[in-house]
Structures are given as C-alpha cells and as structure tokens.
Amino acid sequence: MKTIQFQGRELSAIALGTTAFGKRYSADQAAEAIEFVRSQGVNVIDTARVYGFDAPDGGFGYSESMIGRYLAGRSDRESIFLVTKGAHPPMEDRAFNRLTEKDLRFDLEQSLRNLKTDYVDLYFLHRDNPQMDMAEVMGTLHDFVKKGYVRAIGASNWRFARIMEANKYAAEHGLTPFTAFQIEWSMAKYDESENPGDKTQFAMKPEEIPLYRESGLLVMCYTSQASGLFSKIMAAGPTAAAGYDALKASGGLKKYQDPDNRRRAIAVEQLCAKYKVSPAAIGVAYLTGMGPSVMPILGSSGIAQLADSLSAPDLQLTEEDYSLIEGR
Ligand SMILES: NC(=O)c1ccc[n+]([C@@H]2O[C@H](COP(=O)([O-])OP(=O)(O)OC[C@H]3O[C@@H](n4cnc5c(N)ncnc54)[C@H](OP(=O)(O)O)[C@@H]3O)[C@@H](O)[C@H]2O)c1
C-alpha cells in the first residue's frame, strides 16, 4: 500500500474510520475489523471522543473504548497510528464554544482512558468555533505535546484560512502548529453550504485543494465514500444512469442530489470497466491521487465493505480519468 511520511512516521495512505463501532460493529467485530485492515497494510485508526453517542446503549467514548479494548495488553501499540478528536460542541447546540482549556483537558483525559493508552499520535480539534480564544487553545494543545500526551495536532472542519491564522499565531509564539487537517471529501459533488445539516461540518472546496497541496499538511478525508453513493448507484440498476435514477426515486441520494453526480456515476462506471475494480476502489484512488498527503478514511457497516474499499489500494488514476470524473 502507498504510504505517507508524517513527522518521521510511515503511515498507510488509507485510514480506518470507526463511527460505526458500537452502532454496526460489536466490540468483537470492531477488533476483527482492526485486525483485517492491519493485515491489508493499514496502520492509521481514526476515532473521536463523541463517536458512539448515537449507538444503542452507547454514549461518548463508545468507539474509543472498543479500540481501547483491542489495544489493552498489546505490545505493538507503537505500530498503530492512533488518531482521536476532542472539544466537540454539545450535540444539541453546535454553536456552543467547547474550545476552552477546561474542555480540552477533560476530553483528552477521557479519550486516553477510553483508548487505554498514555498518548495519541494525532489529536484533532473536532470543530472550529469563531468565539474560541487562540492563545488558550494553541497554548493548551502545545502543553499536551510538550507533556507527551499527544504527538501532533490537527484541525477538523476548519477552513484553510483559519488553520493558517492559528499556525501564524503558533509560529509567532513558539507553539506547536497544526500539521494535519480533516475534512469531508469524496468523489461526489457536494457543497455543504447548500445543505441544511450540521453547519459546523465542512467539505473540501475545489479552490482549497491547491492550497492544501502546497501547505504540506496531512489531509484526512472523511465520508470518503460519499456514504457509499457510487456503490449504491451501481447496485441499484443495470447501468449507472438507471441506478442513479432508481436511487433518486427511492430517496437514496440523500444530500448528493446534485445532477452532476449522475454524470460522475457514468464516469465511474467507465473507470470500473477500464480497471476492473469496484466503485469504492475508484473512490479511494480518486482521493489518494489528489496529493502526496491525502488520506481517505474508510467508513463501513461491515468488513465486506472494508475489503471492497481496500481491494485496489495502489490504483493510480490518470489525468484523463480525473477529467472524466470531474467533467473538465
Ligand atoms: N472529522 C469529522 O467531523 C468526521 C465526520 C464524519 C466521519 N469522520 C471519520 O471518517 C470516517 C469515515 O466517514 P463515514 O463513515 O461518513 O464514511 P463513508 O466511507 O463515506 O461512509 C460510510 C458508509 O458508506 C457506505 N460504504 C462504505 N464503503 C462501502 C462499500 N465499499 N460499498 C458499499 N457501501 C459502502 C456504507 O453505507 P451503509 O451503512 O448504508 O451500508 C457505510 O456505512 C468515520 O468512520 C470517522 O472515523 C470524521
């Protein structure tokens, strides 16, 4: 599998996502999923303190605890690059500012306890908040790094300009900068500003892509399979066009109603035939080919989907393939 160099570590170019741990995976199945992806060369696991909040019998820390159960007593913790996130606003009030020293310390402490480890490799702020105090947040994160609780810091759902603002502040004050970024990004056309959902979640904007490429930041992409959009389109009809129309009629397109996704699905169908791979494999290649530090995080509702998404991890799309997908 392709790798990404990050602060002296060699990371797999694909990460395991874990929002489904506790919802679609029992603790045993979660351990099996981790073992499976590791056998395929994946060494990055992405979680967050809030994951599991919507699981039956779950709650905050549920996903992390399943990973902690897997890690407990293992001697190979160092071979896993463990990513978690904190300071998520309350679910019922996403505008509420939890980017405070008190909340950051509380969340990290809980995460370390859940994960049964004394450090995380990469710690993300899960959301931005314009009311946050830059000195308080960057100072607290720097303290986490200095104390060894966290080896690198990242910003999730921040706009590029905000990350640059924070890193300028860090450089001027001798503090640790953000070296990673996490955002929604997939092969589907999607503009979060046109969707009513959670206003604290951001999707990649085409004009930001070159900025990230130049920045050298590690870019982790969530909802990287567009919730399985292209796989579901292909499964819904004999052709991509028919599948798109059938999925649209059944309400299955959800937030991906953009008509360009019908054209993209037809392009994906052609690329699946060209490379003899699945739509999910094309979706992974679309992102890993976007730059040397772009890492899709795989969501799934079972190991068969993970196996499918990981079935051609080194596939490289050509410029013509990108033009076909994006309609350039
Ligand atoms: N930083 C953030 O704010 C943030 C937000 C969201 C997620 N994340 C992270 O990113 C990870 C991935 O996000 P996500 O779960 O939204 O991603 P995703 O990969 O787009 O979506 C997962 C869903 O897509 C479908 N799917 C995935 N692979 C498939 C395949 N090969 N064939 C058919 N369907 C497939 C499944 O849908 P069905 O369940 O319908 O089968 C699965 O539940 C999460 O687990 C989490 O670690 C971070």
Side-chain angles (χ1 to χ4, degrees):
M1 176 174 306
K2 278 196 235 179
T3 55
I4 294 175
Q5 297 302 322
F6 178 76
Q7 300 189 194
R9 293 285 297 274
E10 188 167 31
L11 310 184
S12 53
I14 303 172
L16 172 69
T18 63
T19 37
F21 284 10
K23 275 199 292 188
R24 311 295 285 271
Y25 288 84
S26 66
D28 285 345
Q29 289 165 336
E32 244 180 86
I34 297 172
E35 280 291 300
F36 171 72
V37 299
R38 292 186 75 191
S39 74
Q40 304 300 300
V42 171
N43 63 2
V44 182
I45 302 179
D46 179 78
T47 187
R49 187 170 108 72
V50 295
Y51 293 171
F53 76 96
D54 51 353
D57 311 320
F60 286 3
Y62 207 40
S63 164
E64 287 183 329
S65 299
M66 289 191 177
I67 298 164
R69 185 176 181 263
Y70 173 84
L71 291 176
R74 296 188 73 91
S75 55
D76 58 355
R77 162 71 186 87
E78 281 287 328
S79 65
I80 293 175
F81 188 86
L82 191 54
V83 181
T84 195
K85 317 179 194 82
H88 195 290
M91 296 302 168
E92 63 287 357
D93 180 6
R94 305 290 167 113
F96 187 88
N97 181 25
R98 281 194 74 254
L99 288 164
T100 65
E101 177 173 359
K102 182 168 162 262
D103 290 319
L104 281 165
R105 289 194 186 281
F106 177 80
D107 281 9
L108 179 62
E109 198 179 298
Q110 297 293 314
S111 288
L112 293 175
R113 186 171 306 154
N114 294 331
L115 289 163
K116 296 192 171 48
T117 184
D118 48 13
Y119 72 96
V120 290
D121 295 281
L122 173 57
Y123 193 65
F124 276 105
L125 302 180
H126 211 147
R127 296 285 195 271
D128 191 5
N129 191 305
Q131 291 159 9
M132 71 167 235
D133 180 319
M134 190 69 83
E136 182 180 4
V137 171
M138 298 312 284
T140 306
L141 292 175
H142 181 68
D143 185 57
F144 290 171
V145 176
K146 262 191 1 198
K147 297 217 165 89
Y149 303 142
V150 156
R151 294 194 172 166
I153 57 170
S156 172
N157 296 296
W158 287 42
R159 289 262 77 103
F160 184 77
R162 281 279 290 163
I163 299 180
M164 292 302 109
E165 191 191 328
N167 280 359
K168 183 167 178 284
Y169 181 90
E172 287 167 357
H173 294 83
L175 303 174
T176 309
F178 291 126
T179 47
F181 173 60
Q182 196 171 124
I183 194 163
E184 180 163 358
W185 194 8
S186 74
M187 190 163 57
K189 177 114 187 283
Y190 170 62
D191 179 351
E192 95 279 336
S193 60
E194 291 170 10
N195 284 280
D198 178 351
K199 291 293 179 204
T200 62
Q201 278 195 304
F202 295 151
M204 182 62 93
K205 290 188 184 304
E207 63 271 23
E208 284 183 327
I209 298 171
L211 303 176
Y212 280 107
R213 282 202 190 112
E214 284 158 29
S215 72
L217 289 166
L218 171 68
V219 181
M220 297 184 72
C221 322
Y222 70 77
T223 314
S224 61
Q225 287 292 342
S227 303
L229 178 73
F230 295 103
S231 307
K232 288 170 185 172
I233 288 174
M234 302 305 167
T239 62
Y244 180 94
D245 296 342
L247 206 60
K248 185 174 180 196
S250 67
L253 290 179
K254 299 192 181 140
K255 66 185 189 185
Y256 301 107
Q257 297 281 345
D258 194 311
D260 196 49
N261 285 326
R262 188 177 193 274
R263 193 199 50 71
R264 287 183 185 226
I266 296 167
V268 172
E269 182 179 44
Q270 289 171 25
L271 295 176
C272 290
K274 176 178 171 183
Y275 293 111
K276 302 194 178 10
V277 297
S278 70
I282 300 285
V284 167
Y286 175 84
L287 290 170
T288 56
M290 276 291 176
S293 304
V294 179
M295 179 189 289
I297 313 170
L298 299 182
S300 65
S301 55
I303 291 178
Q305 285 182 354
L306 289 174
D308 177 34
S309 300
L310 284 168
S311 56
D314 292 323
L315 176 64
Q316 291 201 7
L317 300 180
T318 65
E319 262 316 302
E320 294 73 51
D321 298 337
Y322 278 100
S323 300
L324 183 69
I325 295 167
E326 290 169 358
R328 295 193 239 120

